[in-house]
Amino acid sequence: MSGNRDGMFRGREEERGLLNGVLDAGAGVVLVDGAAGTGKTRLLAEAAAVAAGRGFEVVTARDELDQPFLLARLAERRPDGPLLVVLDDLHLAGPATLAALGALLPASASDAVVWLLARRRGEGADRLFSAAARRGATRIELRPLPDGVVTEPVADLKALAGTAQGLLLDRVSALSGNARHLLQVAAVLGPRFEPGDVAEMLASSIAVLLPALDEVVAAGVVAAQDDGLAFRHDLLWRLVADSVPPPVRRALHREAGEMLLRRGDSAVVAAKHLLHGAQRGDARSVDGLVTAAKALLWNAPEASAELAVRALELTDQASASLVHRTVMAVRALTAAGRLTTAHALAQEALSRQVSPEPAAKLRHCVATTTLLGARHAESLEISEALLRDPDLAPELTPWVEITRLMALLGHDRERARELAEAVVRTRQGAPDDVLATALAVLAAIARDTGRPGAALELAREAARAGTSHDLSAYPRLLFATLLAGLREFADAAAVVRRVRGGPSAVVTGEVMTAVVQARILLQAGRIEEAAAEARAALTVAEETGHDAVVAPALAVLAMVAIHTGDLPAAIEHVGRCRDDVPADRIIFSRAYYQWADVLVTYVGSGLEKAMTLLTDYPDLVSSGLFAEEPRAAGWFVRRALEAGDDGLAKAVVDRAERLAEEHPGFPAVAAAAVHARGLLDADARLLELAARDHRDLWARANAAEDLGVLLAGSPDRAESVKALESALGLYREIGASRDSARVLGRLRKLGRRRRAAPARPESGWSSLDDTERAIANLVAKGQTNRQISTQLFMSPHTVNFHLRKIFRKLAISSRVELVMRSRDDR
């Protein structure tokens, strides 16, 4: 846009144009970098004023303490109209706040939301800003303006602000005393308020307050809206709120928070008031903070952590409540993913004299943080010591038993099996979270020992047995991984959707779900989406100390890298899995990491080193790998034959066929056995069957390529070319560029020249692939992202990923434009 139509940003014409462009589009992300003194805060305030003038609802966070509450409120509701979200000082935000914001940004990409995010450059939030920039965010870097440019505008702005403030104060001063008092209470409630809330705060009724309400509306100070009343301007609201003496304002905030909690209204809004109203020595207000923290623990853990930590800060060291508030703070910090802080706070409290009950809770928190940090032996030792304590509280016992089971699964499989079997024998009956965990442990062990049928049934039973959403997240996610391994992708996606659709926002559950979803997407051949999910999981895991989730994310990224031709990245990811991170045996099997290691070694260092490495993994072929990853059977036979190791090739075929014979109801396992036998016997008919019967694109492409290679030596090469072209099409559909290049080389040897890339144009409707076309059609029909995700068996995050590609290919920036283009172009 040209011109300064909004009268803003004098001396900042370029920044004005960028911001106006995003506001005109009605959706997008603007990233503002600026050092202290460059006018960053003023820029944000003026942008908010302009947006409000254009009909945007504007929500802001005053400081880093407000940020998690604002994000929690946004996660609770969808915007009714255009919305501007302003977040300043993100360099001060905690990792869980940044992770929550990182999840909200793509989730709102298709809504009428403009995000205005600011930080001091180089002081934090680097990952968030980089990720947003990769997704197309607008970047503004503020540099100091020349003195001649900045002096006059600043003087004008101050004069204008003083004049406006004087006029507004005159308008308020002209009101009656009752009307001014009503406004002051309303201002404490916020820029928008319910008349009933003001009446309750004033111990009155709306009927009694009606004359004062009529007066403030008639004076133009307050305006009626569909959902209540609102101050006509943000500046007016702030002026009235600032006119309330600070001690009175704190007391009113406390009363407002207690009122909302008592009524059962939004705990997020109540907590915001309590945070501003609490003060040291005021037991009632601090208790209110703790109550709100408990209410927010599962659905807004970062906000819960801020409240609990603030309550702890306001508690006297000699108070009897200190240790109980410490327990609450540690629990909330753990739920928010701030594991290092939670661990240190718990250990510090335990170093003091602590009574047995809170000491047990703190020790269990330490066991939990060490478990999530992949320190299984340490977690196990603490859990077992707690369970030996005869005074362990009954309500804490199930949590400790679950922690012990999970720690044993990562540390000592035989003891884990014995304990889980004992739990199953003694706890059969009603749904039970300890029983669900024990069944999941037995399912993981069955998976790793090559009993996919037993593993699936145990995991199915575990998923049904859980009662608590958070405690039963692992059983459900394990069930999803087993379904995906057997290539039941629709069922696996449905399980993941149920986990993601639950009420919990605990960081551990979110990051575990993301990494499970990443591998499911990879197995289904949706390689770009898999990489996006895995990178998101890895970022959160590294920032929050969830070391137990780092290895699974790295393994998925290694597989993606090897098939897209990024060998250095693949080697780096596998190296970290092997050397720096304890091998996960909880989310994925150890065999999966070993196969990734052998595969990357083969591509990077050749057949000899890969075969040598295989001797370090003597149980790999006899494990459950071929049920977890059916296409691995063909890969191992191929490498064994290449190395002239007939014994290994026969062992792989025997194992695959035994699995298929023992599990006749699993088509994916049967196809893997047929594929392996076809390679060993050089049987074109079996390879053709495998190419037809495999249940995922990867394995089907592998079988078609193997068939083409086998037929290349026959007199009639046409069938070889046909099979290789089929493989090429499948690899291209997946996005496996390295595999596509290999098949192109085989076709060239047969005298066939193929384009190195598909002929699909780069833009326009014809550039959309099948998935993108399906999503575009559903958007044109008015479907929301969540409705589309349900119909197409993908997460809303994945729908947003495809929408961004659609927008880029069609040169548009919103759903509205997509609907209009759909109507016009078709």
Side-chain angles (χ1 to χ4, degrees), residues 658-683:
R658 192 179 314 115
L659 283 171
E661 182 180 350
E662 293 171 354
H663 304 89
F666 297 154
V669 178
V674 170
H675 190 171
R677 173 59 68 180
L679 281 167
L680 180 63
D681 295 348
D683 188 325

Side-chain angles (χ1 to χ4, degrees), residues 650-717:
K650 290 176 182 176
V652 172
V653 172
D654 287 346
R655 179 61 174 157
E657 289 182 336
R658 192 179 314 115
L659 283 171
E661 182 180 350
E662 293 171 354
H663 304 89
F666 297 154
V669 178
V674 170
H675 190 171
R677 173 59 68 180
L679 281 167
L680 180 63
D681 295 348
D683 188 325
R685 181 184 61 84
L686 292 179
L687 291 177
E688 189 174 357
L689 282 174
R692 184 195 69 189
D693 293 344
H694 269 305
R695 296 173 68 91
D696 69 79
L697 298 179
W698 284 107
R700 204 176 302 154
N702 291 162
E705 182 181 359
D706 289 333
L707 177 61
V709 171
L710 177 63
L711 295 176
S714 65
D716 183 5
R717 294 189 172 186

Side-chain angles (χ1 to χ4, degrees), residues 489-490 493 497 517-534 556 560 696-698 730 733-736 769 771 775 788-789 792-799 801-802 805:
F489 293 124
R497 277 201 308 277
Q517 175 79 328
R519 196 175 74 160
I520 292 173
L521 290 167
L522 178 64
Q523 291 167 324
R526 290 153 59 180
I527 194 166
E528 290 183 71
E529 301 164 46
E533 287 276 5
V556 172
V560 168
D696 69 79
L697 298 179
W698 284 107
L730 291 168
E733 184 176 347
I734 295 167
D769 62 27
T771 300
I775 291 174
I788 294 170
S789 70
L792 299 184
F793 303 104
M794 59 180 66
S795 71
H797 176 84
T798 302
V799 174
F801 169 80
H802 285 296
K805 293 174 66 179

Side-chain angles (χ1 to χ4, degrees), residues 11-12 14-15 18-19 30-35 38-40 43 117-122 129 138-145:
R12 294 284 188 191
E14 182 180 354
E15 292 85 349
L18 292 171
L19 277 163
V30 180
L31 307 173
V32 180
D33 280 302
T38 55
K40 175 170 57 68
L43 179 75
L117 312 179
R119 64 167 181 174
R120 288 185 187 173
R121 184 171 182 80
F129 272 53
T138 299
R139 301 204 71 156
I140 293 176
E141 184 165 356
L142 294 180
R143 300 184 183 280
L145 291 171

Side-chain angles (χ1 to χ4, degrees), residues 270-289:
K272 182 74 174 295
H273 285 295
L274 291 170
L275 190 66
H276 288 292
Q279 54 188 328
R280 183 176 293 277
D282 185 343
R284 189 172 64 168
S285 63
V286 178
D287 284 341
L289 284 175

Side-chain angles (χ1 to χ4, degrees), residues 185 195-206 208-209 252 255 259 262:
V185 172
D197 291 346
V198 178
E200 187 171 348
M201 292 281 290
L202 290 170
S204 183
S205 68
I206 295 178
V208 172
L209 296 180
L252 287 172
E255 289 184 8
M259 174 188 72
R262 187 169 58 250

Side-chain angles (χ1 to χ4, degrees), residues 32-370:
V32 180
D33 280 302
T38 55
K40 175 170 57 68
T41 301
R42 182 167 69 90
L43 179 75
L44 301 185
E46 292 175 347
V50 169
R54 297 194 193 180
F56 278 75
E57 178 185 353
V58 179
V59 294
T60 65
R62 293 185 177 183
D63 53 36
E64 68 273 15
L65 289 178
D66 280 356
Q67 291 164 0
F69 297 97
L70 174 58
L71 297 179
R73 291 200 301 277
L74 292 173
E76 280 188 337
R77 67 175 185 86
R78 310 302 298 172
D80 297 326
L83 173 69
L84 173 68
V85 183
V86 183
L87 294 171
D88 197 1
D89 292 331
L90 282 171
H91 56 283
L92 300 176
T97 294
L98 295 174
L101 181 55
L104 275 177
L105 289 180
S108 64
S110 56
D111 295 322
V113 180
V114 173
W115 295 84
L116 186 51
L117 312 179
R119 64 167 181 174
R120 288 185 187 173
R121 184 171 182 80
E123 295 188 23
D126 292 336
R127 290 182 183 275
L128 174 69
F129 272 53
S130 297
R134 286 195 300 271
R135 290 194 293 262
T138 299
R139 301 204 71 156
I140 293 176
E141 184 165 356
L142 294 180
R143 300 184 183 280
L145 291 171
D147 291 341
V149 175
V150 74
T151 303
E152 281 299 321
V154 170
D156 290 348
L157 181 65
K158 289 180 177 178
L160 179 62
T163 301
Q165 182 170 329
L167 291 172
L168 291 172
L169 284 174
D170 288 344
R171 188 183 303 178
V172 173
S173 299
L175 297 171
S176 67
N178 287 341
R180 288 199 304 273
H181 292 156
L182 181 148
L183 277 182
Q184 288 178 316
V185 172
V188 170
L189 290 172
R192 293 167 184 78
F193 58 92
E194 292 280 352
D197 291 346
V198 178
E200 187 171 348
M201 292 281 290
L202 290 170
S204 183
S205 68
I206 295 178
V208 172
L209 296 180
L210 190 57
L213 286 169
D214 285 341
E215 186 178 353
V216 296
V217 171
V221 178
V222 167
Q225 296 185 336
D226 292 339
D227 56 349
L229 298 174
F231 285 87
R232 283 193 173 273
H233 195 281
D234 185 73
L235 178 57
L236 205 160
W237 164 61
R238 292 181 185 278
L239 285 172
V240 175
D242 290 344
S243 72
V244 182
V248 177
R249 189 162 62 240
R250 284 196 298 270
L252 287 172
H253 273 301
R254 183 177 66 249
E255 289 184 8
E258 291 172 352
M259 174 188 72
L260 293 170
L261 280 180
R262 187 169 58 250
R263 280 199 328 226
D265 283 9
S266 169
V268 175
V269 179
K272 182 74 174 295
H273 285 295
L274 291 170
L275 190 66
H276 288 292
Q279 54 188 328
R280 183 176 293 277
D282 185 343
R284 189 172 64 168
S285 63
V286 178
D287 284 341
L289 284 175
V290 176
T291 300
K294 290 177 180 177
L296 292 174
L297 181 61
W298 303 117
N299 62 353
E302 176 65 10
S304 175
E306 294 293 348
L307 288 165
V309 169
R310 181 60 177 158
L312 191 60
E313 291 171 349
L314 295 174
T315 302
D316 293 331
Q317 292 296 303
S319 171
S321 300
L322 179 67
V323 67
H324 299 289
R325 290 172 182 169
T326 302
V327 170
M328 184 63 225
V330 171
R331 288 185 66 201
L333 287 165
T334 303
R338 292 155 65 175
L339 301 184
T340 302
T341 305
H343 185 88
L345 182 58
Q347 293 283 47
E348 190 273 333
L350 287 168
S351 69
R352 304 192 299 268
Q353 189 77 19
V354 180
S355 58
E357 183 179 345
K361 293 178 180 178
L362 289 169
R363 289 164 65 198
H364 176 252
C365 288
V366 173
T368 301
T369 57
T370 52

